Amino acid sequence: MSELESLKRRALDDLKTALDEVGLREWNSRYFGKAGEILAALKIVGSLPPEARKEYGQQANQVKVELTQAYETALAEQKQKSLENSLSAEKLDITLPGRPPRPGRLHLATQTLRDIQAIFAEMGFQVFRSREIESDEFNFALLNMPEHHPARDMWDTFHTTTPGVILRTHTSPGQIHVMRKFHPEPIRVILPGMCYRYEAITTRSEIMFHQVEGLVIGTSVSMTDLKGTITAFAQKMFGDNRKVRIRSSYFPFTEPSIEVDMDCIVCAGKGCSLCKKSGWLEIMGAGMVHPEVLRNGGYDPAKFTGFAFGMGPERIAMLRHAIVDIREFWANDLRFLSQF
Ligand code: DAH
């Protein structure tokens, strides 16, 4: 037997004794490593007499190819075997309880806004969105509060560095946007959105809060429609037996202006700590749209009348859920938010 032949047999026998991947890799470096026997056998070629070189070289290469193939086959088999082993040994235990996903939820303010929108949608109101950054003109002047009008003091305002550009203090400027868009068609919309006021933050007031404005314009809209609409809203929101009363008030953009109260949901009018012994809770401001405001929106006050109202959904949510601190709404505390 030639030396090459016996090298090959020895290598193949050795390969059979390699029991795992580590053993196989050891075998590989023993025969094919830098100091391995195959390399050594190939190097010999140079020292042979020229006539013997060709045959020897071919044989050596042949041995190399056979051994490489044998090694690769053994390695692949070994890998397959260890995969099968681990699959049967480490069975997946699907009886372990899973990790439950933590579902998110809508913010209480959003939930309340959607409830309010749904109630007004049933009464045929559409939702109209308008901007949070407003001009002084829309926020005040076009709502019948020219510059230096003392009524402007009712709203503490955030100003931007651009003169005349402010954060809206109420959703009422949206009234002008809707009117200018739809005149001379009749209008029945609500305008929900965020408002901003430069105020001290207390349990009762925040620098940002939502409002829902309402606006109805037509050729025979009266105070009776206003009262009926608001009563229907209060009863849908707080329960069929709710009573509503209106008080005279003042807003520059309505004439007459009213304040709307609802009998207290805790004591039903008897007087308790929530209603401060009065038996009534204030829920919104409202009134008949001022002729000047109609005109600014493009409606002829000789032909058209309208009513408007404005309420704070956070206040409504506070009444509904007995929340005592309005600051909870934007404090981002999950202990509060996840209760609703
Ligand atoms: N804009 C008023 C406020 O922020 C609320 C309001 C009162 C809106 C009467 C109206 C209204 O549309 O008619 O306090």
Side-chain angles (χ1 to χ4, degrees), residues 48-55:
L48 293 176
E51 62 280 8
R53 280 185 199 165
K54 187 174 172 201
E55 202 193 332

Side-chain angles (χ1 to χ4, degrees), residues 155 169-170 172 175 197 211 213-214 251 253-254 285-287 308-310:
W155 292 274
T169 60
H170 50 179
S172 303
Q175 290 189 26
R197 285 188 202 169
Q211 278 191 347
E213 188 91 6
F251 297 101
F253 31 88
T254 42
F309 56 83

